[in-house]
């Protein structure tokens, strides 16, 4: 996303001198900016509203309501900013971790509606590194019936974007990816370079 305010906030986010409270605040601000772009195709239906003067035509979010899915742990830091823009959305949770040896994603927790038929989903994860976690979450949602998925990430590595594109091509479900910035590469430990380090640790301290 080419926007000077987004670039400015990412620069602050990257800095090793940025504290956890500042980091959380910056993530929230960035998500609100990304969410504006990411919700461009959110489904709405016509409605009318009475103004003090006359009846006006407008729109309301369609049913079923969009589902926002933060990938725990780091995606939780993006939830508040997203819900501020779309307060009537519902929220489901997926916990993914990656095996630090194989870099393969594993699902350790899940709290989602069982049937997602026809649902529009917005998946939140600040970092798209190998793409394993985001890809795993998207596969999960598609298997339950979601038929339109938008993923919001703050930083992405080109390798992760490539992996993600291949996966969604195989799944055959309309999927959008909105990222604030694309970095240079992944290192041998699966970290984005230059990146910002471990987003979960930066948000919540070492766990
Ligand atoms: N991750 C980071 N920083 C990085 C790379 C990965 O925090 O530089 C964490 C994020 O928490 C993200 C997950 O949820 O790893 C994504 O990794 P991957 O499955 O895309 O490799």
């Amino acid at each position: 996303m080419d926007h000077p305010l987004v670039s400015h906030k990412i620069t602050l986010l990257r800095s090793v001198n940025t504290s956890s409270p500042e980091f959380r605040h910056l993530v929230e601000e960035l998500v609100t900016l990304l969410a504006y772009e990411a919700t461009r195709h959110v489904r709405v239906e016509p409605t009318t509203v009475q103004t003090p003067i006359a009846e006006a035509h407008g729109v309301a979010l369609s049913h079923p309501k969009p589902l926002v899915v933060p990938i725990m742990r780091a995606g939780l830091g993006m939830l508040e900013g997203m819900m501020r823009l779309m307060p009537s959305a519902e929220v489901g949770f997926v916990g993914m971790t990656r095996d630090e040896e194989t870099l393969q994603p594993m699902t350790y927790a899940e709290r989602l509606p069982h049937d997602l038929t026809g649902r529009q989903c917005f998946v939140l994860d600040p970092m798209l590194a190998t793409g394993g976690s985001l890809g795993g979450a998207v596969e999960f949602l598609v298997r339950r019936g979601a038929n339109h998925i938008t993923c919001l990430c703050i930083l992405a590595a080109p390798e992760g974007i490539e992996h993600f594109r291949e996966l969604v091509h195989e799944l055959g479900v309309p999927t959008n990816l909105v990222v604030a910035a694309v970095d240079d590469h992944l290192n041998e430990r699966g970290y984005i370079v230059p990146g910002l380090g471990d987003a979960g640790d930066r948000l919540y301290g070492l766990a």
Side-chain angles (χ1 to χ4, degrees):
M1 204 172 158
D2 190 18
H3 190 293
L5 267 186
V6 169
S7 308
H8 171 59
K9 289 181 195 302
I10 289 177
T11 306
L12 297 172
L13 206 62
R14 290 184 191 281
S15 169
V16 71
N17 295 320
T18 297
S19 66
S20 280
E22 283 173 288
F23 192 93
R24 285 196 293 270
H25 187 70
L26 285 163
V27 167
E28 269 192 36
E29 289 180 332
L30 273 164
V31 172
T32 310
L33 293 167
L34 283 184
Y36 177 75
E37 185 63 31
T39 52
R40 193 172 286 282
H41 301 293
V42 69
R43 293 180 193 136
V44 290
E45 55 199 26
T47 186
T48 53
V49 67
Q50 184 66 42
T51 79
I53 313 295
E55 193 178 69
H57 297 289
V59 296
L61 286 186
S62 291
H63 282 277
K65 288 277 158 65
L67 185 73
V68 176
V69 183
I71 301 181
M72 295 186 285
R73 157 176 79 122
L76 283 180
M78 299 171 75
L79 183 59
E80 197 56 40
M82 187 71 187
M83 295 307 284
R84 193 169 299 144
L85 211 69
M86 219 167 37
S88 60
E90 288 173 9
V91 184
F93 297 90
V94 178
M96 310 275 295
T97 184
R98 61 177 190 186
D99 183 314
E100 290 300 330
E101 295 287 310
T102 64
L103 300 183
Q104 288 305 306
M106 294 181 302
T107 306
Y108 68 85
E110 171 265 304
R111 189 73 200 233
L112 292 168
H114 194 70
D115 183 12
L116 293 176
T117 307
R119 290 295 278 267
Q120 214 174 3
C121 297
F122 293 86
V123 184
L124 313 176
D125 191 338
M127 310 293 274
L128 174 56
T130 63
S133 309
L134 198 65
V138 167
E139 255 190 284
F140 210 99
L141 298 173
V142 169
R143 264 190 266 123
R144 293 226 172 151
N147 72 351
H148 190 275
I149 298 176
T150 301
C151 299
L152 286 80
C153 302
I154 294 176
L155 289 186
E159 295 91 329
I161 294 179
E162 185 61 30
H163 174 118
F164 184 78
R165 289 225 170 102
E166 283 165 17
L167 176 84
V168 299
H169 181 73
E170 280 168 31
L171 292 174
V173 167
T175 308
N176 300 328
L177 179 62
V178 178
V179 297
V182 181
D183 269 13
D184 200 57
H185 66 280
L186 281 184
N187 69 14
E188 65 290 345
R189 290 176 54 227
Y191 278 88
I192 297 177
V193 183
L196 49 76
D198 185 300
D201 289 352
R202 303 267 334 247
L203 281 161
Y204 303 117
L206 291 174

